[in-house]
Amino acid sequence: MPENENAPQGEKTPRPYHLGGGDDRKLHTVDARTLRAIAHPLRIRLLNALREFGPATASKLGERLGESSGATSYHLRQLAESGLVEDAPELGKGRERWWRAIHDGSTFDSALFRSHNDPEVRGAIDVVLHETATTHAQELNTWLGTMDDWPEAWQESWDLSDFKIRLTPELALELSRKMHELVESYRGTVPEDTEGSAVVRTHLHTFPRPSE
């Protein structure tokens, strides 16, 4: 199943690890051109939906996201022009037009874009970062509002934690790398049709705080 994985990364942070056998995910490294294309809230949501839930029509995506089919159709075409989504003609019947994500996830160097000499690129990365943070908050709030609908085992296995530790920039980077590696070590260990399993969303945020 396509994954919803957009991983903003610092300048020296490695791209996502590929630990474990059989990992054939197709990841896209965002450049300045594609960054401009995805720097729109609806386009980010469309791309995430296609990666997480699989191919869909503009109408189905509109229903899922609460948008008009005209708006989703327009922004899907913009994503297609940038090589991020494509037609899935084998799924359509009659005049139906189905779309699918070309990649399973994206990685990008946020530090590089934030120091870019083009102000349009700097503005684009700000849009993507803030939209990503908003999406993370929405996903967590959705879980908090619907957890009672899940089996008891899942209600007892989720986590909401925060930690404050004093680090240097180098150690903060090392911490992020190790957490990426730990998450990746679990990828592919549970077959998709395993009874009782689910896709688990994990957010990683590491950033400095003022001491006073």
Side-chain angles (χ1 to χ4, degrees), residues 71-202:
T72 56
S73 181
Y74 170 78
H75 288 292
L76 284 166
R77 291 195 300 271
Q78 299 303 305
L79 290 170
E81 289 181 5
S82 298
L84 295 168
V85 304
E86 65 183 2
D87 278 320
E90 71 280 6
L91 300 177
K93 296 180 180 178
R95 299 180 61 183
E96 274 189 336
R97 188 175 188 181
W98 284 70
W99 298 89
R100 62 174 158 237
I102 295 176
H103 313 95
D104 298 318
S106 296
T107 66
F108 56 86
D109 187 336
S110 59
L112 178 65
F113 290 138
R114 293 189 70 251
S115 61
H116 201 280
N117 58 10
D118 186 343
E120 184 179 346
V121 173
R122 297 196 300 272
I125 190 60
D126 281 346
V127 170
V128 172
L129 290 174
H130 280 91
E131 186 63 23
T132 299
T134 298
T135 298
H136 286 184
Q138 290 173 340
E139 289 176 343
L140 179 56
N141 283 322
T142 296
W143 162 252
L144 293 174
T146 61
M147 72 169 78
D148 288 341
D149 298 335
W150 287 76
E152 184 176 352
W154 279 112
Q155 295 183 43
E156 296 175 350
S157 60
W158 71 287
D159 184 70
L160 176 62
S161 303
D162 65 88
F163 307 89
K164 294 180 284 293
I165 52 177
R166 184 169 295 277
L167 298 172
T168 62
E170 293 77 17
L171 285 175
L173 181 60
E174 179 183 310
L175 176 62
S176 293
R177 284 173 170 165
K178 287 183 175 180
M179 287 193 286
H180 275 247
E181 183 174 324
L182 178 60
V183 171
E184 289 295 325
S185 71
Y186 283 86
R187 192 183 298 279
T189 59
V190 179
E192 188 171 344
D193 58 355
T194 300
E195 184 177 356
S197 68
V199 174
V200 173
R201 195 78 165 104
T202 303

Side-chain angles (χ1 to χ4, degrees), residues 21-64:
D23 186 357
D24 58 354
R25 290 177 303 143
K26 186 177 181 181
L27 298 179
H28 170 248
T29 301
V30 177
D31 56 21
R33 182 181 68 86
T34 50
L35 177 65
R36 294 188 185 95
I38 62 175
H40 185 284
L42 181 52
R43 291 179 197 171
I44 293 173
R45 294 167 64 206
L46 287 167
L47 190 57
N48 286 344
L50 289 173
R51 287 175 175 175
E52 183 169 3
F53 302 110
T57 64
S59 296
K60 292 181 181 296
L61 287 166
E63 293 174 4
R64 177 180 291 278

